[in-house]
Amino acid sequence: MSRLADYFVVVGYDHEKNRSGQGTGGRIIQRFPEKDWPHCPFTLGIELFCQPHGWHLTTVKKQPTFYVSVLTDIDADRHYLACLTFTEDVVVSPNKVDDDEDSGEQDPALVRSAKLYAPKCLVLVSKLDTFETFRHCLGLIYTVYIDNMNVELE
């Protein structure tokens, strides 16, 4: 019996990696199921295929985008990564404008916060090539998440 999707994965911007100066990247936040299927192991490095233009913070909120990546394993079997990418608010604060760290007090006029947007990806991994069905499934999950923002996606 075949499954529509072998795995559902939530991939997000890796804030820790980016703070430590190791470059920009994504990380798997959560995957379902958590254990590999016996005849379909989880593809490592999925986060590398979720953002074709790289994992970058932006100052502009972007519209959700759907696309499919095709991975071929060593046995020439295709695995389709149906991705729905979108951005979420990230508040980076506070940043001191001047380098005067000797004074213990900060003038509120000298502190500013920047509103940025971090990319996030919903991914279905499947051996089936039913792209329109994947787009509808991911769109429904995204809509439920956006309409009820007080519930974590993870």
Side-chain angles (χ1 to χ4, degrees):
M1 183 171 150
S2 64
R3 296 175 291 272
L4 175 62
D6 297 314
Y7 298 97
F8 172 69
V9 186
V10 180
V11 183
Y13 183 79
D14 191 347
H15 296 280
E16 297 303 317
K17 185 178 187 181
N18 298 314
R19 272 190 216 126
S20 65
Q22 297 175 350
T24 59
R27 70 178 178 90
I28 295 173
I29 297 171
Q30 199 164 26
R31 69 175 246 206
F32 301 98
E34 293 180 354
K35 294 184 179 182
D36 288 3
W37 291 106
H39 299 290
C40 183
F42 184 74
T43 305
L44 299 176
I46 280 181
E47 63 276 7
L48 301 173
F49 298 94
C50 292
Q51 291 292 323
H53 301 292
W55 290 90
H56 304 287
L57 295 176
T58 63
T59 56
V60 179
K61 189 169 185 81
K62 296 183 179 179
Q63 291 295 317
T65 306
F66 175 79
Y67 59 91
V68 177
S69 295
V70 182
L71 306 179
T72 307
D73 64 19
I74 197 164
D75 298 323
D77 292 328
R78 291 183 178 177
H79 301 270
Y80 300 99
L81 305 180
C83 304
L84 180 74
T85 64
F86 57 97
T87 54
E88 291 187 315
D89 297 355
V90 174
V91 177
V92 179
S93 67
N95 291 332
K96 198 170 177 187
V97 174
D98 65 357
D99 293 326
D100 184 18
E101 297 186 78
D102 295 340
S103 68
E105 299 177 25
Q106 287 187 0
D107 183 1
L110 298 178
V111 177
R112 71 180 148 166
S113 63
K115 186 166 186 177
L116 297 172
Y117 300 94
K120 189 173 257 188
C121 241
L122 305 178
V123 183
L124 287 175
V125 182
S126 179
K127 291 182 181 179
L128 304 177
D129 60 353
T130 55
F131 306 142
E132 200 62 23
T133 302
F134 296 150
R135 186 175 67 80
H136 290 300
C137 289
L138 291 173
L140 183 61
I141 294 168
Y142 173 75
T143 302
V144 168
Y145 172 63
I146 292 302
D147 286 346
N148 195 3
M149 285 299 286
N150 61 352
V151 175
E152 293 275 331
L153 184 60
E154 300 83 32

